[in-house]
Amino acid sequence: MNVDIIVIGGGHAGCEAAYASARMGKNVLLITHDEKTIGRMSCNPAIGGLGKSHLVREIDAMGGLMGYCADKAGIHLKVLNASKGPAVRATRSQSDRMLYSNSVQSVINSERLLTTLSAEVVDIETSENSAIGVKLENKEIIKAKKVILTAGTFLNGKLFTGEEEEDGGRKKSKSSKILANSLRSLKLGDARLKTGTPPRILTSSIDFSVLEIQPGDTPRPCMSFINTPKIHPKQMNCFITRTNSKTHEIIRSGLDRSPMFSGRIDGIGPRYCPSIEDKIHRFADKESHQIFIEPEGLSSKEVYPNGISTSMPKDIQEKMVKSIRGFENAVISQYGYAVEYDFFDPRNLYATLETKKIKNLYFAGQINGTTGYEEAAAQGLVAGINAVLDIDEKEPWIESRANSYIGVLIDDLITLGTKEPYRMFTSRAEHRLLLREDNADQRLTPYAKSLGLIEEKRWQIFQKKMDSIKTETSNLKNISMDPSAFGGKKKTRQSVLEILKRPEIKLQEIYEMINRPLPDQGVLLEIETSKKYAGYIERQNKEIKKIKKYENAKIPNNIIFGEISGLSNEAKQKLSKVLPKTIAHAQRIPGITPAAISLLLVHIKKEESLRK
C-alpha cells in the first residue's frame, strides 16, 4: 500500500492533520491503535476556555473540525470573561464525550480521500535521512511521501496511581513502547513530561442540593462561525464545590506514597493545571481549592470533578473525595492517575513542524511538549497543511505572531522550546487585541480559501458576513443622534459611530433606540469592537509595522554572541543557546531587552562595515 500522507494517532492533532491533508486533495491514511477511539477526549470533556478558544476559532476559520464537532456535542456553553474586554473573552463548550467522538468520526469517515486503519506503528521507515513510510507491528511496511506523528501521551506512556504502575497512554489503552524506542535512536532530543486526571464519580452518589449551580449562557454562544445554537443537543448544568482543610490533611497524610513526591515520576507536570497534591504543597496558605463539576454526557453516569487531578493511592482518593461538600457519599467509578510520557524538543522542528533532522517527518501535538486538545489540534492543522504544500512544491503556510494564536503557539515552541507542558494563554500574544475570537475568520478564512480548505458554501457565509459589516458600518456612519439620550448634557448631534466610542455605550442599545433591525451577533461585535478600541488597534498595528522592519534583518551564522560588547551575561547565554536567525527571532526570547537588541544591531552593522 502506498499513500501520500500517513498520520499516526487518532487524537485531536491526528484528526486535524488527516482532515486538512485530505481536503487539500491528498490520499491520507490515519493509523491508530483502535479506530473506535478516534476523536476521544482523554481528559476533561470540554473544548475551549481562556486562550484555548482562540485556537479553536482559528482552526474553524481554516475549515477544521474541532469547533464544528464541539457544537454538535456541546451540552453547556459559556463565554468566560464576558464582562472584560473582547481580547480576553473566551468561549467554552462542555461536551458529551460520546457525541464529540461520534461527530469527529463522522466527519473523518465522510472524507473521500481519508482512510483509517487499526494497527500499531513500531518504526518510521527512513532512507537518506528522509521518512519514506512506516512499519507496522505485523511487519507490514506502508510507503508514503510524508509521515505526521501525533502520538499524544502514548510514547512510552506509564500510568501511576499511588504505588501502582502500568504501561499505557491512558486507561484501557496500550503504550507505544516499541515506537518510542525507535524514535529515541533518531536522537531528536527526547525527555519526559507528566499530566494527570481526576477520579470519576458516579452522578447518583452526589448531593447536588448543596452545590453551587453553574448554568450555561442564554443566548448560547457557538464554537464554530458557521453554526447556530440549533445544532446544540440538550443542555445541562455544571456545579461548583471546594476542597477544605480536612481534604488537605488527608492528602498530606499520603504524600509519602504519592509517585510525584516519592521520585517515581521524573516528568514535569503542567504548571497551570497541577494535581491537587501539588496545589496543597505549592499553595500551603490556601484553605480551599475550587472544583468544577462537569457532566460527562447526556447519558453518562459519571461526572468529571475538574480541579482534583491526582495520582494519590486509591485509599487516599476515597477519603479525599468523601471529605468534600456534596461528595460525602460519593462512589468513585475510576480512580485518578498520572501519565508520564516521552516528548521531543520542539526547537528541533521547522515552523512547518517538519523535523530538522529527518526530512518528510512531522511532529504535532503533545509529542512537542504541549498540553490540551486545542494546542494539539492547531499543530495538527499546521502539519497537515504544510505536508501537502511541500508535496506540491508550494510555499509553506507559516503564520506570524501578529496574525494568529496559531502563529504564537508554533513560534513559541520552535523558538523557546519547553520544559513543562505548554499551554496557550491570551497573555502569550503581544497583539491580542487584534487576535480576538470574533475576528479569527477575517484573519484566516481567506487563507483557507486560497489553500482549498473550505467549500464554496462556507466562503459565501464568510462573504455575507463581511458585506454585512461593510453595509452596517456605512449606514451607521450616516445616522446621527443627540448624545444626551445616553445621559449627560445636551450636545450637538453626533454620528452613531462617534457615540459608540464611549465605553459605557452598547451598539445593541443604539440599534434599539433608532429602531433598526439587529444584524447577526458576529457583525454587531465586530463593528462595536473596531470603533470602541480604534485607538488601541491603531497603536498595535503601528507596533507590528515597526517589528516587520526587523523581520528580514538576518543575524550572521558566524556571529559569536559572547563577544558582543555591552551585552549582559544573561543575554549572551540566552542568545548563544537559542541561536536566533533574525532580529525578530531574537526579540522574542524572554529576557532579551530592547537595549540588548540595539547592541546586537550595532554589532552586526559594525561587522558588516569591517567586511566592506
Side-chain angles (χ1 to χ4, degrees):
M1 180 192 293
N2 287 3
V3 295
D4 293 315
I5 296 172
I6 291 173
V7 177
I8 305 169
H12 306 283
C15 288
E16 295 292 355
Y19 186 50
S21 301
R23 289 197 322 262
M24 293 175 73
K26 300 304 174 193
N27 284 303
V28 182
L29 176 64
L30 189 157
I31 306 175
T32 183
H33 282 149
D34 184 356
E35 293 166 275
K36 294 177 183 176
T37 65
I38 288 174
R40 178 174 291 180
M41 294 174 151
S42 297
C43 198
N44 67 310
I47 297 292
L50 301 178
K52 293 170 175 285
S53 64
H54 293 70
L55 290 171
V56 179
R57 288 292 181 91
E58 290 178 0
I59 293 165
D60 184 70
M62 293 295 291
L65 57 79
M66 179 168 271
Y68 173 79
C69 293
D71 281 334
K72 292 272 284 186
I75 55 176
H76 180 279
L77 291 105
K78 201 171 186 69
V79 175
L80 309 179
N81 283 342
S83 62
K84 296 185 180 180
V88 295
R89 291 174 196 156
T91 307
R92 187 177 189 274
S93 171
Q94 191 67 39
S95 299
D96 180 303
R97 281 189 191 278
M98 290 303 298
L99 288 179
Y100 185 82
S101 60
N102 288 344
S103 179
V104 170
Q105 289 175 33
S106 176
V107 172
I108 292 291
N109 293 335
S110 68
E111 190 56 46
R112 181 177 58 86
L113 296 174
L114 175 52
T115 305
T116 62
L117 174 66
S118 292
E120 181 177 356
V121 173
V122 296
D123 203 0
I124 307 295
E125 290 291 300
T126 61
S127 175
E128 298 179 350
N129 289 324
S130 291
I132 59 171
V134 301
K135 180 189 287 185
L136 303 183
E137 189 178 26
N138 64 5
K139 310 297 183 187
E140 181 184 357
I141 293 175
I142 303 176
K143 296 291 184 68
K145 297 172 184 175
K146 301 286 181 181
V147 177
I148 303 174
L149 180 56
T150 68
T153 60
F154 287 80
L155 285 178
N156 205 21
K158 290 187 178 181
L159 312 181
F160 298 84
T161 302
E163 294 95 343
E164 298 178 17
E165 180 180 327
E166 61 181 297
D167 292 336
R170 61 179 171 230
K171 277 290 183 184
K172 300 177 183 177
S173 296
K174 63 187 295 190
S175 170
S176 294
K177 296 185 73 172
I178 303 174
L179 178 59
N181 292 331
S182 298
L183 289 169
R184 283 179 175 176
S185 69
L186 298 177
K187 297 182 179 178
L188 296 170
D190 64 285
R192 300 283 278 174
L193 287 178
K194 168 247 171 195
T195 188
T197 189
R200 307 304 198 271
I201 300 171
L202 290 182
T203 308
S204 59
S205 67
I206 298 172
D207 182 3
F208 288 97
S209 67
V210 299
L211 303 182
E212 179 185 339
I213 298 176
Q214 288 287 298
D217 283 355
T218 303
R220 292 194 302 276
C222 287
M223 297 299 297
S224 172
F225 286 103
I226 62 171
N227 285 339
T228 68
K230 291 179 181 178
I231 199 173
H232 299 149
K234 178 184 175 183
Q235 298 297 288
M236 298 182 73
N237 289 326
C238 291
F239 297 83
I240 289 177
T241 187
R242 303 187 70 88
T243 62
N244 51 60
S245 57
K246 184 179 179 182
T247 311
H248 297 184
E249 286 175 18
I250 292 167
I251 294 169
R252 289 191 187 98
S253 72
L255 287 180
D256 59 325
R257 297 161 59 204
S258 163
M260 277 187 58
F261 289 87
S262 65
R264 288 172 51 234
I265 293 180
D266 297 321
I268 299 171
R271 178 183 306 187
Y272 304 102
C273 189
S275 65
I276 187 62
E277 53 264 40
D278 198 19
K279 282 182 189 176
I280 68 160
H281 179 72
R282 283 166 50 188
F283 310 109
D285 57 323
K286 278 206 166 190
E287 294 182 359
S288 69
H289 295 280
Q290 180 177 286
I291 303 169
F292 195 67
I293 302 169
E294 307 172 352
E296 297 249 338
L298 295 172
S299 59
S300 174
K301 298 178 181 180
E302 298 174 320
V303 298
Y304 183 98
N306 197 339
I308 54 170
S309 289
T310 184
S311 58
M312 296 293 285
K314 292 177 180 177
D315 60 311
I316 298 295
Q317 290 192 41
E318 289 278 0
K319 294 175 184 175
M320 172 187 80
V321 166
K322 290 184 177 181
S323 71
I324 296 167
R325 183 174 172 81
F327 290 178
E328 291 85 355
N329 298 307
V331 176
I332 296 177
S333 52
Q334 177 183 291
Y335 292 96
Y337 58 90
V339 187
E340 189 182 41
Y341 56 95
D342 288 353
F343 85 104
F344 291 84
D345 189 342
R347 289 174 295 183
N348 293 322
L349 302 173
Y350 294 112
T352 59
L353 297 185
E354 183 181 27
T355 65
K356 292 178 180 177
K357 192 170 182 181
I358 309 295
K359 186 172 173 52
N360 299 329
L361 176 62
Y362 297 73
F363 284 178
Q366 285 180 275
I367 192 173
N368 292 334
T370 59
T371 182
Y373 307 147
E374 303 82 2
E375 291 87 346
Q379 293 171 73
L381 179 77
V382 170
I385 290 172
N386 281 303
V388 173
L389 292 174
D390 196 57
I391 291 173
D392 292 342
E393 298 183 349
K394 293 181 179 179
E395 287 296 308
W397 180 58
I398 298 174
E399 273 296 301
S400 73
R401 300 179 70 90
N403 194 57
S404 69
Y405 274 86
I406 291 175
V408 173
L409 169 68
I410 303 301
D411 187 62
D412 278 354
L413 291 174
I414 68 168
T415 302
L416 309 175
T418 186
K419 292 183 178 179
E420 62 187 38
Y422 177 101
R423 176 180 174 173
M424 180 52 69
F425 292 102
T426 52
S427 59
R428 295 192 189 274
E430 301 90 337
H431 310 293
R432 53 187 170 274
L433 192 53
L434 301 177
L435 310 181
R436 307 183 307 274
E437 266 194 354
D438 61 278
N439 69 358
D441 55 344
Q442 296 175 59
R443 291 183 278 113
L444 294 176
T445 296
Y447 287 110
K449 171 67 172 173
S450 68
L451 293 170
L453 283 162
I454 59 172
E455 299 172 349
E456 187 60 32
K457 182 180 178 181
R458 176 153 192 155
W459 179 245
Q460 289 173 2
I461 292 172
F462 171 71
Q463 291 285 75
K464 182 180 177 182
K465 175 184 175 180
M466 298 309 296
D467 289 344
S468 183
I469 290 171
K470 184 177 179 180
T471 301
E472 290 297 322
T473 302
S474 178
N475 290 336
L476 291 172
K477 188 177 182 180
N478 297 320
I479 297 174
S480 61
M481 292 182 68
D482 181 351
S484 64
F486 298 96
K489 296 179 181 179
K490 188 171 183 177
K491 294 182 180 179
T492 307
R493 293 176 72 86
Q494 289 182 326
S495 162
V496 162
L497 295 181
E498 282 299 310
I499 295 172
L500 186 59
K501 291 180 180 179
R502 292 165 59 173
E504 72 276 12
I505 305 299
K506 299 294 181 185
L507 184 54
Q508 185 167 333
E509 295 175 1
I510 292 176
Y511 269 90
E512 290 169 355
M513 293 184 75
I514 62 178
N515 198 27
R516 186 178 177 83
L518 278 173
D520 289 343
Q521 194 63 32
V523 173
L524 200 72
L525 184 59
E526 170 58 27
I527 296 172
E528 182 169 328
T529 302
S530 63
K531 296 304 172 186
K532 209 173 282 294
Y533 296 91
Y536 298 102
I537 290 172
E538 183 181 359
R539 190 184 309 163
Q540 289 203 349
N541 279 321
K542 285 181 179 178
E543 288 174 2
I544 291 169
K545 287 180 181 178
K546 192 184 295 184
I547 290 171
K548 280 188 175 179
K549 288 182 181 179
Y550 295 123
E551 280 187 344
N552 296 321
K554 294 185 178 180
I555 298 173
N557 290 329
N558 61 351
I559 193 169
I560 302 174
F561 295 106
E563 294 181 355
I564 300 177
S565 178
L567 272 185
S568 67
N569 288 331
E570 179 189 4
K572 289 176 181 177
Q573 289 170 4
K574 288 185 174 181
L575 289 166
S576 299
K577 185 175 182 180
V578 175
L579 295 176
K581 300 299 181 185
T582 65
I583 293 298
H585 189 169
Q587 284 177 313
R588 295 192 292 273
I589 300 172
I592 299 300
T593 63
I597 294 296
S598 297
L599 289 169
L600 178 56
L601 282 168
V602 169
H603 180 82
I604 292 170
K605 289 176 182 176
K606 184 179 176 181
E607 290 294 309
E608 287 176 347
S609 64
L610 289 174
R611 286 195 294 270
K612 289 179 180 178

PDB file of all heavy atoms in Angstrom, residues 364-390:
ATOM      1  N   ALA A 364       3.382  16.653  15.691  1.00  0.00           N
ATOM      2  CA  ALA A 364       2.308  17.565  16.091  1.00  0.00           C
ATOM      3  C   ALA A 364       1.638  17.076  17.362  1.00  0.00           C
ATOM      4  O   ALA A 364       1.420  15.880  17.533  1.00  0.00           O
ATOM      5  CB  ALA A 364       1.275  17.694  14.966  1.00  0.00           C
ATOM      6  N   GLY A 365       1.302  18.002  18.263  1.00  0.00           N
ATOM      7  CA  GLY A 365       0.585  17.662  19.491  1.00  0.00           C
ATOM      8  C   GLY A 365       1.473  17.539  20.696  1.00  0.00           C
ATOM      9  O   GLY A 365       2.528  18.180  20.803  1.00  0.00           O
ATOM     10  N   GLN A 366       1.083  16.680  21.630  1.00  0.00           N
ATOM     11  CA  GLN A 366       1.791  16.561  22.905  1.00  0.00           C
ATOM     12  C   GLN A 366       3.214  16.021  22.753  1.00  0.00           C
ATOM     13  O   GLN A 366       4.030  16.175  23.642  1.00  0.00           O
ATOM     14  CB  GLN A 366       0.983  15.703  23.880  1.00  0.00           C
ATOM     15  CG  GLN A 366      -0.208  16.479  24.440  1.00  0.00           C
ATOM     16  CD  GLN A 366      -1.033  15.662  25.419  1.00  0.00           C
ATOM     17  OE1 GLN A 366      -1.910  14.916  25.016  1.00  0.00           O
ATOM     18  NE2 GLN A 366      -0.782  15.812  26.696  1.00  0.00           N
ATOM     19  N   ILE A 367       3.512  15.427  21.625  1.00  0.00           N
ATOM     20  CA  ILE A 367       4.878  14.988  21.350  1.00  0.00           C
ATOM     21  C   ILE A 367       5.827  16.189  21.306  1.00  0.00           C
ATOM     22  O   ILE A 367       7.032  16.061  21.521  1.00  0.00           O
ATOM     23  CB  ILE A 367       4.944  14.198  20.025  1.00  0.00           C
ATOM     24  CG1 ILE A 367       6.299  13.491  19.883  1.00  0.00           C
ATOM     25  CG2 ILE A 367       4.653  15.087  18.830  1.00  0.00           C
ATOM     26  CD1 ILE A 367       6.382  12.560  18.692  1.00  0.00           C
ATOM     27  N   ASN A 368       5.267  17.388  21.071  1.00  0.00           N
ATOM     28  CA  ASN A 368       6.060  18.617  21.042  1.00  0.00           C
ATOM     29  C   ASN A 368       6.052  19.356  22.375  1.00  0.00           C
ATOM     30  O   ASN A 368       6.519  20.498  22.457  1.00  0.00           O
ATOM     31  CB  ASN A 368       5.550  19.552  19.943  1.00  0.00           C
ATOM     32  CG  ASN A 368       5.810  19.003  18.565  1.00  0.00           C
ATOM     33  OD1 ASN A 368       6.738  18.222  18.362  1.00  0.00           O
ATOM     34  ND2 ASN A 368       4.999  19.396  17.594  1.00  0.00           N
ATOM     35  N   GLY A 369       5.492  18.730  23.412  1.00  0.00           N
ATOM     36  CA  GLY A 369       5.549  19.330  24.744  1.00  0.00           C
ATOM     37  C   GLY A 369       4.378  20.201  25.123  1.00  0.00           C
ATOM     38  O   GLY A 369       4.440  20.921  26.118  1.00  0.00           O
ATOM     39  N   THR A 370       3.286  20.142  24.357  1.00  0.00           N
ATOM     40  CA  THR A 370       2.112  20.949  24.703  1.00  0.00           C
ATOM     41  C   THR A 370       1.132  20.128  25.536  1.00  0.00           C
ATOM     42  O   THR A 370       1.233  18.912  25.637  1.00  0.00           O
ATOM     43  CB  THR A 370       1.385  21.447  23.444  1.00  0.00           C
ATOM     44  OG1 THR A 370       0.982  20.324  22.654  1.00  0.00           O
ATOM     45  CG2 THR A 370       2.294  22.347  22.621  1.00  0.00           C
ATOM     46  N   THR A 371       0.168  20.815  26.133  1.00  0.00           N
ATOM     47  CA  THR A 371      -0.911  20.150  26.852  1.00  0.00           C
ATOM     48  C   THR A 371      -2.223  20.714  26.340  1.00  0.00           C
ATOM     49  O   THR A 371      -2.312  21.898  26.015  1.00  0.00           O
ATOM     50  CB  THR A 371      -0.787  20.354  28.366  1.00  0.00           C
ATOM     51  OG1 THR A 371      -1.847  19.648  29.025  1.00  0.00           O
ATOM     52  CG2 THR A 371      -0.868  21.819  28.767  1.00  0.00           C
ATOM     53  N   GLY A 372      -3.238  19.889  26.221  1.00  0.00           N
ATOM     54  CA  GLY A 372      -4.548  20.395  25.810  1.00  0.00           C
ATOM     55  C   GLY A 372      -4.933  19.966  24.410  1.00  0.00           C
ATOM     56  O   GLY A 372      -4.096  19.841  23.516  1.00  0.00           O
ATOM     57  N   TYR A 373      -6.242  19.733  24.246  1.00  0.00           N
ATOM     58  CA  TYR A 373      -6.782  19.328  22.958  1.00  0.00           C
ATOM     59  C   TYR A 373      -6.560  20.403  21.892  1.00  0.00           C
ATOM     60  O   TYR A 373      -6.246  20.119  20.741  1.00  0.00           O
ATOM     61  CB  TYR A 373      -8.295  19.087  23.065  1.00  0.00           C
ATOM     62  CG  TYR A 373      -8.744  18.144  24.139  1.00  0.00           C
ATOM     63  CD1 TYR A 373      -9.970  18.336  24.783  1.00  0.00           C
ATOM     64  CD2 TYR A 373      -7.988  17.035  24.510  1.00  0.00           C
ATOM     65  CE1 TYR A 373     -10.426  17.457  25.751  1.00  0.00           C
ATOM     66  CE2 TYR A 373      -8.428  16.162  25.484  1.00  0.00           C
ATOM     67  CZ  TYR A 373      -9.651  16.379  26.116  1.00  0.00           C
ATOM     68  OH  TYR A 373     -10.096  15.513  27.075  1.00  0.00           O
ATOM     69  N   GLU A 374      -6.772  21.664  22.307  1.00  0.00           N
ATOM     70  CA  GLU A 374      -6.777  22.767  21.352  1.00  0.00           C
ATOM     71  C   GLU A 374      -5.381  23.029  20.778  1.00  0.00           C
ATOM     72  O   GLU A 374      -5.226  23.233  19.565  1.00  0.00           O
ATOM     73  CB  GLU A 374      -7.322  24.030  22.037  1.00  0.00           C
ATOM     74  CG  GLU A 374      -8.716  23.862  22.615  1.00  0.00           C
ATOM     75  CD  GLU A 374      -8.765  23.192  24.000  1.00  0.00           C
ATOM     76  OE1 GLU A 374      -7.684  22.880  24.563  1.00  0.00           O
ATOM     77  OE2 GLU A 374      -9.872  22.987  24.513  1.00  0.00           O
ATOM     78  N   GLU A 375      -4.371  23.016  21.656  1.00  0.00           N
ATOM     79  CA  GLU A 375      -2.993  23.205  21.196  1.00  0.00           C
ATOM     80  C   GLU A 375      -2.582  22.077  20.244  1.00  0.00           C
ATOM     81  O   GLU A 375      -1.913  22.300  19.234  1.00  0.00           O
ATOM     82  CB  GLU A 375      -2.036  23.249  22.390  1.00  0.00           C
ATOM     83  CG  GLU A 375      -2.176  24.469  23.271  1.00  0.00           C
ATOM     84  CD  GLU A 375      -3.224  24.328  24.375  1.00  0.00           C
ATOM     85  OE1 GLU A 375      -4.046  23.380  24.310  1.00  0.00           O
ATOM     86  OE2 GLU A 375      -3.234  25.145  25.297  1.00  0.00           O
ATOM     87  N   ALA A 376      -3.010  20.860  20.572  1.00  0.00           N
ATOM     88  CA  ALA A 376      -2.687  19.707  19.729  1.00  0.00           C
ATOM     89  C   ALA A 376      -3.350  19.847  18.362  1.00  0.00           C
ATOM     90  O   ALA A 376      -2.719  19.644  17.316  1.00  0.00           O
ATOM     91  CB  ALA A 376      -3.144  18.418  20.413  1.00  0.00           C
ATOM     92  N   ALA A 377      -4.635  20.193  18.360  1.00  0.00           N
ATOM     93  CA  ALA A 377      -5.375  20.310  17.101  1.00  0.00           C
ATOM     94  C   ALA A 377      -4.768  21.375  16.193  1.00  0.00           C
ATOM     95  O   ALA A 377      -4.665  21.181  14.978  1.00  0.00           O
ATOM     96  CB  ALA A 377      -6.844  20.635  17.401  1.00  0.00           C
ATOM     97  N   ALA A 378      -4.361  22.489  16.779  1.00  0.00           N
ATOM     98  CA  ALA A 378      -3.754  23.565  15.987  1.00  0.00           C
ATOM     99  C   ALA A 378      -2.474  23.093  15.307  1.00  0.00           C
ATOM    100  O   ALA A 378      -2.225  23.389  14.128  1.00  0.00           O
ATOM    101  CB  ALA A 378      -3.465  24.773  16.880  1.00  0.00           C
ATOM    102  N   GLN A 379      -1.662  22.333  16.037  1.00  0.00           N
ATOM    103  CA  GLN A 379      -0.425  21.811  15.459  1.00  0.00           C
ATOM    104  C   GLN A 379      -0.721  20.797  14.351  1.00  0.00           C
ATOM    105  O   GLN A 379      -0.032  20.758  13.328  1.00  0.00           O
ATOM    106  CB  GLN A 379       0.419  21.144  16.532  1.00  0.00           C
ATOM    107  CG  GLN A 379       0.972  22.103  17.574  1.00  0.00           C
ATOM    108  CD  GLN A 379       1.600  21.334  18.713  1.00  0.00           C
ATOM    109  OE1 GLN A 379       2.672  20.758  18.573  1.00  0.00           O
ATOM    110  NE2 GLN A 379       0.927  21.315  19.852  1.00  0.00           N
ATOM    111  N   GLY A 380      -1.735  19.970  14.563  1.00  0.00           N
ATOM    112  CA  GLY A 380      -2.115  19.011  13.540  1.00  0.00           C
ATOM    113  C   GLY A 380      -2.501  19.703  12.246  1.00  0.00           C
ATOM    114  O   GLY A 380      -2.106  19.276  11.148  1.00  0.00           O
ATOM    115  N   LEU A 381      -3.256  20.782  12.369  1.00  0.00           N
ATOM    116  CA  LEU A 381      -3.665  21.569  11.203  1.00  0.00           C
ATOM    117  C   LEU A 381      -2.440  22.092  10.456  1.00  0.00           C
ATOM    118  O   LEU A 381      -2.342  21.971   9.227  1.00  0.00           O
ATOM    119  CB  LEU A 381      -4.551  22.730  11.658  1.00  0.00           C
ATOM    120  CG  LEU A 381      -5.038  23.675  10.556  1.00  0.00           C
ATOM    121  CD1 LEU A 381      -6.168  23.030   9.773  1.00  0.00           C
ATOM    122  CD2 LEU A 381      -5.494  25.004  11.147  1.00  0.00           C
ATOM    123  N   VAL A 382      -1.492  22.667  11.202  1.00  0.00           N
ATOM    124  CA  VAL A 382      -0.274  23.233  10.598  1.00  0.00           C
ATOM    125  C   VAL A 382       0.536  22.144   9.881  1.00  0.00           C
ATOM    126  O   VAL A 382       0.982  22.331   8.743  1.00  0.00           O
ATOM    127  CB  VAL A 382       0.591  23.926  11.672  1.00  0.00           C
ATOM    128  CG1 VAL A 382       1.965  24.308  11.117  1.00  0.00           C
ATOM    129  CG2 VAL A 382      -0.118  25.153  12.220  1.00  0.00           C
ATOM    130  N   ALA A 383       0.721  21.012  10.550  1.00  0.00           N
ATOM    131  CA  ALA A 383       1.498  19.921   9.960  1.00  0.00           C
ATOM    132  C   ALA A 383       0.821  19.367   8.706  1.00  0.00           C
ATOM    133  O   ALA A 383       1.473  19.125   7.681  1.00  0.00           O
ATOM    134  CB  ALA A 383       1.705  18.806  10.981  1.00  0.00           C
ATOM    135  N   GLY A 384      -0.499  19.167   8.776  1.00  0.00           N
ATOM    136  CA  GLY A 384      -1.230  18.618   7.642  1.00  0.00           C
ATOM    137  C   GLY A 384      -1.170  19.517   6.422  1.00  0.00           C
ATOM    138  O   GLY A 384      -0.913  19.056   5.296  1.00  0.00           O
ATOM    139  N   ILE A 385      -1.397  20.806   6.633  1.00  0.00           N
ATOM    140  CA  ILE A 385      -1.368  21.766   5.525  1.00  0.00           C
ATOM    141  C   ILE A 385       0.020  21.819   4.896  1.00  0.00           C
ATOM    142  O   ILE A 385       0.181  21.754   3.667  1.00  0.00           O
ATOM    143  CB  ILE A 385      -1.796  23.170   6.012  1.00  0.00           C
ATOM    144  CG1 ILE A 385      -3.292  23.181   6.355  1.00  0.00           C
ATOM    145  CG2 ILE A 385      -1.476  24.230   4.956  1.00  0.00           C
ATOM    146  CD1 ILE A 385      -3.755  24.463   7.011  1.00  0.00           C
ATOM    147  N   ASN A 386       1.048  21.923   5.741  1.00  0.00           N
ATOM    148  CA  ASN A 386       2.402  22.081   5.208  1.00  0.00           C
ATOM    149  C   ASN A 386       2.948  20.812   4.561  1.00  0.00           C
ATOM    150  O   ASN A 386       3.759  20.883   3.628  1.00  0.00           O
ATOM    151  CB  ASN A 386       3.338  22.575   6.310  1.00  0.00           C
ATOM    152  CG  ASN A 386       3.176  24.063   6.540  1.00  0.00           C
ATOM    153  OD1 ASN A 386       3.342  24.857   5.626  1.00  0.00           O
ATOM    154  ND2 ASN A 386       2.822  24.445   7.764  1.00  0.00           N
ATOM    155  N   ALA A 387       2.497  19.662   5.017  1.00  0.00           N
ATOM    156  CA  ALA A 387       2.890  18.411   4.357  1.00  0.00           C
ATOM    157  C   ALA A 387       2.394  18.401   2.916  1.00  0.00           C
ATOM    158  O   ALA A 387       3.123  18.033   1.983  1.00  0.00           O
ATOM    159  CB  ALA A 387       2.347  17.213   5.126  1.00  0.00           C
ATOM    160  N   VAL A 388       1.153  18.835   2.718  1.00  0.00           N
ATOM    161  CA  VAL A 388       0.576  18.881   1.374  1.00  0.00           C
ATOM    162  C   VAL A 388       1.290  19.919   0.510  1.00  0.00           C
ATOM    163  O   VAL A 388       1.645  19.660  -0.652  1.00  0.00           O
ATOM    164  CB  VAL A 388      -0.934  19.198   1.434  1.00  0.00           C
ATOM    165  CG1 VAL A 388      -1.491  19.420   0.026  1.00  0.00           C
ATOM    166  CG2 VAL A 388      -1.685  18.075   2.120  1.00  0.00           C
ATOM    167  N   LEU A 389       1.515  21.105   1.074  1.00  0.00           N
ATOM    168  CA  LEU A 389       2.161  22.173   0.310  1.00  0.00           C
ATOM    169  C   LEU A 389       3.560  21.767  -0.148  1.00  0.00           C
ATOM    170  O   LEU A 389       3.988  22.106  -1.259  1.00  0.00           O
ATOM    171  CB  LEU A 389       2.219  23.457   1.143  1.00  0.00           C
ATOM    172  CG  LEU A 389       0.867  24.127   1.425  1.00  0.00           C
ATOM    173  CD1 LEU A 389       1.049  25.305   2.375  1.00  0.00           C
ATOM    174  CD2 LEU A 389       0.219  24.591   0.128  1.00  0.00           C
ATOM    175  N   ASP A 390       4.267  21.018   0.700  1.00  0.00           N
ATOM    176  CA  ASP A 390       5.610  20.588   0.333  1.00  0.00           C
ATOM    177  C   ASP A 390       5.566  19.544  -0.787  1.00  0.00           C
ATOM    178  O   ASP A 390       6.398  19.564  -1.691  1.00  0.00           O
ATOM    179  CB  ASP A 390       6.352  20.026   1.548  1.00  0.00           C
ATOM    180  CG  ASP A 390       7.847  19.943   1.310  1.00  0.00           C
ATOM    181  OD1 ASP A 390       8.464  20.984   1.008  1.00  0.00           O
ATOM    182  OD2 ASP A 390       8.406  18.835   1.406  1.00  0.00           O
TER     183      ASP A 390
END
